[in-house]
């Protein structure tokens, strides 16, 4: 059984990492790699998708460093593996003469290649100069009108009455500018209308009932019995009743995990899901709770794959010693006193 680890690239470039393989006895020529996703038993395709049939990828660049195989891998492998941190992957290596595999460990925080477009930190300068902002040209100053000399003052003559001069001055004067319409008038009308509506409502709902003849109150009808809770599981969103009534596995799993169920409760609903062949619920609840640090759930999940305790006809298609060892290690990491997990782990390791 191989020990395989994926760590971030030395330069920290998103979408790139370093693959380390412990225990490969063969060489580095003609190596091929397959990736199995344990939760749904699908294999990684060349385009980053997942298929039910095994797909082998030629992998170059792995070099021997003592007992290790070490090499850089790019987005074709890193992006699908870090897309869902709750998934568990099993990698298989082969060449012309032999084949071996093991469960992948993703160590540290590895970013996918889409993270290249993340915003820059505030303490770093911008990577390109900002685009210039077009400044509208300043308007050219208008030419000042030519100075107009005042007309000479004429001395009124006896044959030209003063009233005629004033009449000419009146017609020569510019017309006054029209006044702007008053803008507060619509607001005042609206306030008056609202006040009228408020007074009418006050009379209708407060004063009017007092003027009517009181009538005897009719006896309150007996409330009909509330219908039974449907498909929600009542007060227990992580019980068997909620599982039976839930049409969507993902919605049920989310509601179950939000209720923070106890370990025994999770194991009960997993057993119910196995009986109803809802394997998606079984695999996701097992993996999520085990990865979250529940040692009992991890131990139970390991026994599903352990060749000694494997039961055919369930949601796990076949026994897998490597996968069982992986979950036994997680159980021991959270509960070092689990002697059964330690014993089975030692028996499964070569």
């Amino acid at each position: 059984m191989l020990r395989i680890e994926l760590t971030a690239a030395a330069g920290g470039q998103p979408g790139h990492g370093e693959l380390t393989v412990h225990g490969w006895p063969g060489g580095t020529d003609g190596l091929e790699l397959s990736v199995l996703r344990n939760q749904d038993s699908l294999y990684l395709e060349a385009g980053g998708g997942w298929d039910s049939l095994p797909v082998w990828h030629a992998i170059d660049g792995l070099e021997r460093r003592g007992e290790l195989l070490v090499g850089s891998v790019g987005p074709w492998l890193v992006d699908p593996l870090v897309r869902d941190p709750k998934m568990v992957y099993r990698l298989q290596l082969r060449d012309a003469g032999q084949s071996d595999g093991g469960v992948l460990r993703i160590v540290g925080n590895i970013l996918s290649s889409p993270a290249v477009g993340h915003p820059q930190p505030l303490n770093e300068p911008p990577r390109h100069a900002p685009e210039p902002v077009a400044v509208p040209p300043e308007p050219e100053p208008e030419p000042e009108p030519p100075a107009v000399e005042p007309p000479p003052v004429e001395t009124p003559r006896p044959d030209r009455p003063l009233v005629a001069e004033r009449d000419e001055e009146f017609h020569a004067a510019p017309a006054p500018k029209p006044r702007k319409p008053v803008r507060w008038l619509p607001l005042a009308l609206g306030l008056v209308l609202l006040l009228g509506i408020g007074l009418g409502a006050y009379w209708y709902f407060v004063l009017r009932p007092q003027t009517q003849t009181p009538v005897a109150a009719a006896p309150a009808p007996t409330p009909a019995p509330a219908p039974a809770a449907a498909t929600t599981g009542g007060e227990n969103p992580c019980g068997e009743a909620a599982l039976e009534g839930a049409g969507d596995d993902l919605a049920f799993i989310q509601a179950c995990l939000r209720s923070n169920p106890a370990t025994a409760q999770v194991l009960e609903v997993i057993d119910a899901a196995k009986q109803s062949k809802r394997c998606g619920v079984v695999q996701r609840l097992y993996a999520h709770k085990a990865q979250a640090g529940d040692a009992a759930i991890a131990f139970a999940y390991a026994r599903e794959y352990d060749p000694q305790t494997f039961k055919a006809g369930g949601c796990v298609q076949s026994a897998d010693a490597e996968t069982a060892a992986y979950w036994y290690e997680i159980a021991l990491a959270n509960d070092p006193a689990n002697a059964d997990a330690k014993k089975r782990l030692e028996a499964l390791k070569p």
Side-chain angles (χ1 to χ4, degrees):
M1 180 178 65
L2 302 179
R3 290 175 51 201
I4 309 175
E5 296 178 351
L6 179 64
T7 58
Q13 182 181 3
H16 293 263
E18 185 172 277
L19 191 67
T20 303
V21 181
H22 302 254
W24 175 250
T28 59
D29 295 332
L31 281 179
E32 291 182 322
L33 173 72
S34 70
V35 181
L36 172 66
R37 193 165 63 182
N38 277 352
Q39 276 74 356
D40 49 15
S41 299
L42 297 180
Y43 292 87
L44 178 65
E45 295 180 318
W50 299 89
D51 192 10
S52 58
L53 298 177
V55 180
W56 291 94
H57 309 267
I59 180 168
D60 300 324
L62 295 182
E63 60 180 14
R64 174 72 65 179
R65 297 181 185 175
E67 298 181 354
L68 307 179
L69 281 185
V70 181
S72 299
V73 290
W76 70 271
L77 179 62
V78 174
D79 286 354
L81 295 183
V82 302
R83 186 175 298 129
D84 188 351
K86 297 297 182 183
M87 285 291 181
V88 179
Y89 304 96
R90 186 175 186 274
L91 275 61
Q92 188 81 13
L93 277 177
R94 75 177 185 182
D95 58 12
Q98 56 191 336
S99 175
D100 199 356
V103 177
L104 174 69
R105 298 173 181 270
I106 299 178
V107 181
N109 185 19
I110 306 177
L111 300 177
S112 61
S113 58
V116 174
H118 70 284
Q120 300 177 6
L122 295 178
N123 58 353
E124 292 186 3
R127 306 194 179 191
H128 59 275
E131 297 181 359
V133 179
V135 180
E138 297 183 359
E140 298 181 359
E142 298 181 359
E144 298 181 358
V148 180
E149 297 181 358
V153 180
E154 297 181 359
T155 305
R157 295 177 296 176
D159 57 348
R160 188 177 184 184
L162 185 59
V163 175
E165 293 180 1
R166 291 181 178 175
D167 184 65
E168 291 177 1
E169 292 176 1
F170 172 78
H171 289 289
K177 296 181 180 179
R179 294 185 179 180
K180 295 183 179 179
V182 181
R183 297 183 178 178
W184 53 265
L185 183 58
L187 180 60
L189 292 177
L191 292 176
V192 172
L193 180 60
L194 290 177
L195 180 60
I197 294 174
L199 291 176
Y202 178 76
W203 174 83
Y204 186 83
F205 292 105
V206 178
L207 299 181
R208 180 172 171 270
Q210 298 178 1
T211 61
Q212 296 179 352
T213 304
V215 291
T222 304
T231 70
T232 59
E235 298 179 357
N236 182 10
C238 198
E240 296 184 20
L243 176 64
E244 294 175 0
D248 183 17
D249 288 352
L250 183 59
F252 168 76
I253 293 169
Q254 292 174 345
C256 174
L257 295 176
R258 279 197 299 266
S259 67
N260 194 21
T263 299
Q265 189 176 1
V266 175
L267 291 175
E268 289 177 2
V269 78
I270 286 176
D271 289 338
K274 286 194 290 186
Q275 294 176 7
S276 58
K277 299 299 181 181
R278 300 180 71 168
C279 295
V281 175
V282 174
Q283 298 280 6
R284 290 177 180 269
L285 284 179
Y286 261 141
H288 187 280
K289 295 296 291 183
Q291 293 282 8
D294 193 318
I297 298 293
F299 180 75
Y301 200 17
R303 289 173 61 84
E304 296 276 358
Y305 288 96
D306 193 335
Q308 187 182 66
T309 54
F310 168 75
K311 295 180 181 179
C315 289
V316 176
Q317 297 180 359
S318 60
D320 190 330
E322 292 85 354
T323 304
Y326 174 79
W327 293 114
Y328 279 134
E329 288 180 353
I330 292 182
L332 282 174
N334 293 279
D335 183 15
N338 191 332
D340 292 335
K342 184 177 182 181
K343 180 179 178 181
R344 289 304 305 152
L345 182 61
E346 292 175 352
L348 292 173
K349 284 187 175 181

